[in-house]
Structure formats: structure tokens, C-alpha cells
Amino acid sequence: MAPIGLTDVAITDFVVNQRHGVKGLVDIISPKTLPPCYIQLPEKRVTTEKLIMEAATTGKGALSAPVIPVIDVSDWKNPNVAEEICEAAATLGFFQIVNHGVSVDEQNELRAAGRGFFDLPTEEKKRYWEGSSVSDTAWYMTSFNPYKEAKLEWRDYLKFEYLSDQVDFAATWPTVCRTPHQLFAWTSPLASPSGGRRRVSTRRSPPRFVTVPSLCPLTLLSPPLPPCFISSVYRRVAAGLGDSNRWLWVSTASLERWRGRGEPDLSWRRRQAGRSRVSHGVDLGQISPGGFAGVALRRCLCRSGQYSASTVSPMSPLTAALMGLSSCFACCKELWLLRSSSFRRKLVVVLCLSWCFVAGIPCALLAWWDQSPAIKPLLPPASTPPLLHIPQRLEWTSLLSMAGPGLADPASHVLLSMSPSGWSAVPRTILRLRFSIGPSYFDAGFDEDCGRDEVVNHSNRMKPIGRKILEILMNNLNARMEEETLMGTLRMNVNYYPECPDPKLTVGTGHHCDINTLTLLLQDDILGSLYARYGDKWLHIPPVMGAIVVNIGDMLQILSNDRYKSVEHLVMASRFLSRISFAYYCGPSYDSVIEPLREVLENGEKPLYKPTMYSDYMKYYFARPHTGSKTIESIKLP
Ligand SMILES: O=C(O)CCC(=O)C(=O)O
Ligand SMILES: [Fe+2]
């Protein structure tokens, strides 16, 4: 059902003609249900039955599901690397590479630049609308081809073309993608793998209860714009943010510090660059023995849009509240020890924070939960525990019972199937909390001096990687690496998928094959997003910290006369998180004529495709909605 008063026509007009994009729809109109113009035909949707869920298992009689290989390319000369790449290219059409030399920090800078663009006001973004863009090499668009599609896709995107033979081809690009993000100098105390200041108490002696001097009276506020004690600061943060089920936790103490340093105005205003701040304040420091000490000064980052607050709810203990050492730090010792892997570390951090919420300020949180219609359905009212009592040990079960049933959507299913063994009973609940209300407390810190043009720089980083992979693939065909044919055009799509009211009914990016030679994709850390075709099912391509996803495009399938596979893939949106991805496309130069290579036909093999100029192929593809693998079929020889 369309949101009241908004017909499909009005929504399409708003999103497409008025150029607000689907992000504008979410930010400004916030439909609670999916507008019909986004409801895809059943065959285009991804349902749980169409997913390959099981990880490969071994042993007698076990079914072995395919897994997208993660290839360590630290030594490109290692023959195993070439072998694994060629094997993946010839079978699944997808693989991931790690140790490729592009650091996580660099990737995060790029993400910040990308989010920076989508966080710009519509008026600014509109200037780049495809067809009338102020730039010859950067175009902004929504869906895929909204003028031709019966149903829209839940995505906005910004396309770049790298014309490395022209000196300042990026001069007209949105500045937000070019300027340094020096504001992201805060280091998350949770992000350093060394542990640094984070000492985790392992003592199991009875928790020491302390009385926290009142920092401020509890201020629990509900959307849309909270009245609050430092309204000038909060109003600025809250303005323009739509969704009501997110929040920030800020203590007066830390705010005072910011003010003392003359910072708040500047920093809050810059949230458009894709960041919001979360300060845990001294109160959280006190209930987490050592765990978050000093956080008030350091501050954490959380990604706006993906995790940010839309309502600022400054929470502090009630004057009379007893604050106890959060029992989670004692009883979850083993979880902290799992910090060695980043994915696990993230989850652990979320677990502990969620725990703190419950253990440390039950009254505040529960009262807020109670008031919030968006959260209420998650919490069976009968399970509300007594307030003002801080249990010495809070068992997982009590947390489970408070949070209600687990998530049902594919994303969480996948996440659960990947969670470390032994957590099976826990994450479902915590994830619910995270997906529902939790800002991210685990974003990486940013390099203070990142004064580069992130998007331009990305091409400089990706191009040699693309060249190495293409060289390997060509060698394997006994063919030469023709730069012009294989990487004569270099383009990038920055795809933005906002939170979606009903991801199961729509798609983020519809099923398609890439038309180029090779795509190097940087995806986000949201599970259950990217899927590749495997038979009549979809195979999940899980985010791997720092990895680049590589996939074969149609041009390579044609050149190799079907030895390498260009495989259909799609993206699902997420109910609670926005996602950003960067697809870097290597392709032939526009006037290259592509046909099966002489080298692969040497033994008398018949060519499967007719010669086609790349620009004609592109025209065919971009003139239609996403249609799976139909583009390549259009040039198949009988
Ligand atoms: O967003 C993604 O992960 C993939 C997008 C994609 O397939 C594309 O841009 O070609
Ligand atoms: Fe793609």
C-alpha cells in the first residue's frame, strides 16, 4: 500500500522527475510501506527459498554448497594465485581478493567520500542528474533506467568515467568526492586491533556498585525533534533526519568538552559528510570497567545514514540510579577474546554495548522503548524487568526474552549462519537490537592527513590490480594482454541503497551481468546484500573485511568464447541499514570490436558470438531495464 496521499505517480515524480532519488524518498517522505512502484514481479525478487544458505560442510553424505573463493594475492607471481583466479573465472565468475595493497583506511576514505555525495542536499545532487549533468564525466541517477522500467530499483548511483588521457577530467566532479575529510580524525577506541587502552576486566568478584554523580537529569526524548538541554546543538543534528528508531547517546560531560574546545558547531554541521558522532560519556565508562575509559574524550564515529541517529536522545542515569559495573564484562570474557577477527570484534562490541544498555540504564532504555512505537513490537510488554535494579549477572536468556523473536529476513539468516559457533542463541537478539536501534560503535578511525582525491585515487589503486588479473586470465588463454581491448575504458559506479521498508518485495540492483571485461567491487559490511546466480539459486557473496570482489563481465566471456563466465548478480536492500558500494569497471575502448579471440579458436572451435563494437553493446544494455543475461544473448551466433 502506498503511503497515505502518495500515489505511485506522485512517488515516481518525486524520485525521478524531481530528482530526489530513492534516498530523498526515504529521508523526506519516509514511507512505512514499500510504494507499489518498487514492488518487483515475483520472478525478480529474492526469497529465502531461492538462496543458497548453507555453508559448505564436509563429511559423509554432506551437501557441499559452493563458496566464492577468497584469494590471497600478496604474491601475484605465485602460480596458485593464477590457478585459483582462472578456476573461479571459469566456474562461478566471481571471487574475492585480499592482501591486494589497498588498505582498509583507504577504502573507508572512499566510503566517506561516496556517502558525502549522497548526503548532499537534493539541490546539489540534482546538478549531476544524468542527461543534464554539470560534469561530462560524472552522472547521478536513480534505479537503473527509470524511464524504461515498469518497476524501480531501490538504489541511487553516481557514475564516474576516468579519462586518464585528459589532464583534469575530474575538475567538475562533486567537490565532496575530492576534498580531504580531515574531520574524520577521531579514532574510535574500539577500532584499534591492538586493544590499546581497552583493558577488559576479567574479574569475577561481585560487581562493585558505584553511585554516579548526576551529570544531568535523564532526558528521554521522542521524535521528531527532541526538546533538550542544549537545544542549539541537538536541533542541528536532528534536523533533516527522518527515521525515528535510531539514537545517539550523549552525555553532558562530553558535550561540555566539545564546547570547551570550540568544536561542536563545526563538527555537527559537517555531518553531511557522512558521519555522526557518538560519545559514550563518562557514565558508560564507569559501568564498563576499563572497557570504555576515556571514551568521552576520544569520541567514536558512527556512520551517518547507515547507523546514525535520527533522534537525539541524550541519555544519562537518573539522579538516583545506581550504576553498577556491567556484568557483561565479567561474564562475556570469552567474547572479548574473539576480537582478533574484525567481523567478530564488531559483533562483540555490539554485544557488549547492548548489554551495557540493559545492565546499566534499564530504566532509561525501557522507558524509551515503551514510548517508541517503532521499537515496541520487538518487546513483549510482559517481559519488562523491574527497573532501578541492576542485576549482578544478567543472563543471555533475560536479554533474549526482552528482545523478542529473532529476525526473519535473509540478511540476518545469513549472518547467523556465519556467526561463530556457540553464539547461536545470542546474536539473533543482539542483531535485532543493532539493526533496530543501534548506531555502529565500531567504525574504523580515519587518517588525519587524508588529503587525496579519494575517487580519482581509487582508480589509480584499482587499475594495476585489474591489469594483473586480466594478464593472468589472458595468459591462461595463451593470448596477449591488449590494454586497449581489456581496459580502454575505466568507469565507476558508486551505488547507494537506503534502508528499505520491505526489501523482500524489491531489489537494490536488479539481476544483471556486467557488460565490461572485469569489475572490481568494494562492498560494504552488510551481510545478505550481494548475490550471484548459481543454477536457479542465488549464492551469497559475504563481505570480507578489506577484500575486493572481482567478477567477470560479458566482454571477457565473449573474448574467451565462454571459457570465462559472466554471471548474473543482484543486490538486496536492507531493512535497517543503508549500503554503499563501489563498482570499478574495466572495459574495452568504445570503438573496440569484440569477438572471440583468435587464440581460443585455434583448434577449430566455432565462435559463439558475432563481432560487436563495444559502444553498440553499451547502447543496447543501457536502453533497457536490467534483464539478467539477455544482453549477451543478443549477439549469440545460432
Ligand atoms: O552494489 C553492489 O554490490 C553491486 C552493484 C553492481 O552489480 C554493479 O554496479 O554492477
Ligand atoms: Fe554488476
Side-chain angles (χ1 to χ4, degrees):
M1 218 177 50
I4 295 161
L6 278 175
T7 61
D8 244 11
V9 173
I11 288 185
T12 311
D13 183 58
F14 181 83
V15 171
V16 183
N17 301 338
Q18 294 178 43
R19 305 176 178 186
H20 285 280
V22 65
K23 183 172 192 298
L25 178 71
V26 171
D27 287 351
I28 298 165
I29 298 181
S30 302
K32 296 288 169 273
T33 54
L34 189 72
C37 53
Y38 284 98
I39 300 180
Q40 296 284 339
L41 293 171
E43 60 268 26
K44 298 229 165 169
R45 297 181 212 154
V46 177
T47 51
T48 314
E49 314 82 68
K50 292 190 202 162
L51 300 181
I52 300 174
M53 293 295 215
E54 300 302 318
T57 49
T58 50
K60 224 176 161 191
L63 280 177
S64 159
V67 175
I68 304 287
V70 178
I71 304 172
D72 180 345
V73 295
S74 47
D75 178 9
W76 286 101
K77 295 207 174 75
N78 182 337
N80 294 342
V81 170
E83 198 180 309
E84 287 178 57
I85 287 178
C86 295
E87 166 73 15
T91 52
L92 298 168
F94 272 84
F95 52 95
Q96 307 209 44
I97 54 170
V98 289
N99 295 327
H100 40 66
V102 183
S103 72
V104 171
D105 278 353
E106 280 171 290
Q107 298 182 6
N108 281 336
E109 284 157 19
L110 183 71
R111 290 186 179 106
R115 282 189 177 271
F117 176 80
F118 290 101
D119 279 347
L120 289 173
T122 304
E123 286 313 310
E124 184 56 28
K125 283 187 283 189
K126 272 181 188 176
R127 299 173 55 237
Y128 296 92
W129 194 259
E130 189 162 358
S132 60
S133 174
V134 292
S135 170
D136 289 338
T137 47
W139 311 276
Y140 160 58
M141 194 25 77
T142 190
S143 187
F144 172 63
N145 190 347
Y147 306 108
K148 294 280 162 60
E149 291 161 331
K151 298 289 178 178
L152 298 176
E153 298 179 358
W154 196 264
R155 157 182 93 143
D156 294 333
Y157 62 102
L158 181 62
K159 270 195 273 192
F160 292 105
E161 177 163 29
Y162 296 95
L163 301 175
S164 25
D165 53 337
Q166 290 181 22
V167 182
D168 209 359
F169 66 94
T172 49
W173 287 8
T175 36
V176 72
C177 301
R178 306 191 71 211
T179 47
H181 292 264
Q182 71 272 42
L183 274 178
F184 306 138
W186 320 315
T187 2
S188 162
L190 307 174
S192 136
S194 66
R197 288 166 305 293
R198 280 171 285 133
R199 289 184 315 279
V200 178
S201 167
T202 54
R203 73 191 125 176
R204 279 183 184 260
S205 52
R208 185 168 51 92
F209 283 87
V210 292
T211 307
V212 176
S214 167
L215 301 172
C216 72
L218 172 70
T219 320
L220 267 183
L221 306 156
S222 48
L225 197 62
C228 68
F229 50 94
I230 310 178
S231 57
S232 61
V233 172
Y234 283 139
R235 268 168 213 277
R236 203 166 289 134
V237 186
L241 298 170
D243 205 353
S244 67
N245 61 0
R246 305 291 177 79
W247 54 284
L248 284 177
W249 180 352
V250 187
S251 85
T252 40
S254 45
L255 270 177
E256 290 308 325
R257 282 204 180 89
W258 296 344
R259 289 161 75 81
R261 293 158 58 138
E263 284 183 356
D265 278 0
L266 175 69
S267 47
W268 289 120
R269 240 188 288 121
R270 288 297 296 262
R271 73 157 282 285
Q272 56 99 355
R275 294 292 184 275
S276 297
R277 285 183 174 187
V278 177
S279 168
H280 298 297
V282 292
D283 33 15
L284 182 57
Q286 268 172 325
I287 59 169
S288 61
F292 297 106
V295 176
L297 282 174
R298 304 286 308 173
R299 282 160 290 175
C300 289
L301 265 180
C302 87
R303 275 184 284 186
S304 166
Q306 184 160 344
Y307 301 108
S308 78
S310 56
T311 299
V312 181
S313 297
M315 290 193 187
S316 286
L318 283 169
T319 319
L322 281 177
M323 298 291 289
L325 296 178
S326 171
S327 48
C328 72
F329 290 91
C331 69
C332 301
K333 182 180 130 203
E334 56 287 350
L335 298 183
W336 278 91
L337 298 180
L338 289 173
R339 279 182 316 176
S340 53
S341 118
S342 54
F343 167 68
R344 291 175 187 189
R345 190 169 77 237
K346 288 176 182 180
L347 214 49
V348 170
V349 170
V350 176
L351 284 167
C352 291
L353 284 166
S354 305
W355 193 275
C356 287
F357 297 157
V358 179
I361 50 163
C363 33
L365 198 60
L366 291 172
W368 182 68
W369 274 343
D370 255 354
Q371 286 171 6
S372 167
I375 300 297
K376 207 168 180 179
L378 309 183
L379 296 166
S383 66
T384 307
L387 304 182
L388 290 176
H389 167 70
I390 298 161
Q392 290 200 357
R393 280 181 66 118
L394 203 58
E395 299 299 338
W396 289 121
T397 44
S398 48
L399 197 55
L400 279 168
S401 69
M402 282 175 61
L407 286 170
D409 69 353
S412 68
H413 191 105
V414 172
L415 213 154
L416 287 173
S417 73
M418 289 184 60
S419 65
S421 60
W423 289 20
S424 51
V426 179
R428 198 178 283 269
T429 304
I430 305 301
L431 290 173
R432 175 123 221 167
L433 291 175
R434 180 198 153 193
F435 283 158
S436 309
I437 61 169
S440 163
Y441 292 89
F442 47 73
D443 208 345
F446 285 87
D447 177 2
E448 209 152 16
D449 309 313
C450 56
R452 291 161 295 187
D453 291 355
E454 285 86 353
V455 178
V456 177
N457 189 47
H458 190 60
S459 180
N460 300 334
R461 309 291 274 137
M462 291 292 116
K463 196 173 169 184
I465 297 175
R467 186 183 292 119
K468 285 208 174 81
I469 296 172
L470 286 165
E471 257 165 23
I472 287 174
L473 293 169
M474 286 297 117
N475 266 343
N476 187 47
L477 300 176
N478 295 319
R480 274 193 319 131
M481 166 77 199
E482 295 266 5
E483 186 108 357
E484 192 65 9
T485 312
L486 297 167
M487 36 198 326
T489 58
L490 298 170
R491 298 166 73 115
M492 181 158 76
N493 263 27
V494 186
N495 302 303
Y496 183 89
Y497 308 90
E499 301 92 324
C500 173
D502 202 343
K504 288 191 286 307
L505 293 181
T506 189
V507 285
T509 298
H511 63 154
H512 69 285
C513 291
D514 290 354
I515 56 167
N516 48 319
T517 49
L518 196 74
T519 304
L520 304 178
L521 178 87
L522 205 63
Q523 64 164 330
D524 221 325
D525 61 357
I526 302 173
L527 288 141
S529 303
L530 180 61
Y531 292 90
R533 167 81 75 191
Y534 187 80
D536 58 353
K537 298 228 170 193
W538 294 103
L539 177 61
H540 181 229
I541 303 176
V544 171
M545 179 78 153
I548 297 170
V549 177
V550 184
N551 66 288
I552 305 297
D554 288 355
M555 291 301 124
L556 217 47
Q557 175 162 338
I558 297 167
L559 290 165
S560 69
N561 213 29
D562 271 6
R563 280 175 183 60
Y564 299 136
K565 304 281 186 296
S566 171
V567 169
E568 270 180 58
H569 51 286
L570 56 77
V571 177
M572 292 221 10
S574 154
R575 171 76 187 83
F576 298 110
L577 301 171
S578 65
R579 174 176 183 270
I580 196 156
S581 71
F582 298 81
Y584 182 79
Y585 308 113
C586 305
S589 58
Y590 296 120
D591 55 1
S592 295
V593 175
I594 302 299
E595 59 187 320
L597 290 164
R598 190 172 30 80
E599 289 84 345
V600 297
L601 303 178
E602 246 163 21
N603 55 4
E605 195 172 304
K606 274 178 56 183
L608 298 171
Y609 303 97
K610 60 182 175 204
T612 308
M613 197 187 291
Y614 187 50
S615 54
D616 292 339
Y617 198 81
M618 285 181 82
K619 262 186 228 140
Y620 184 96
Y621 176 73
F622 287 112
R624 292 165 175 74
H626 273 140
T627 50
S629 56
K630 293 234 170 67
T631 325
I632 202 165
E633 282 163 23
S634 71
I635 59 157
K636 200 147 195 177
L637 287 167

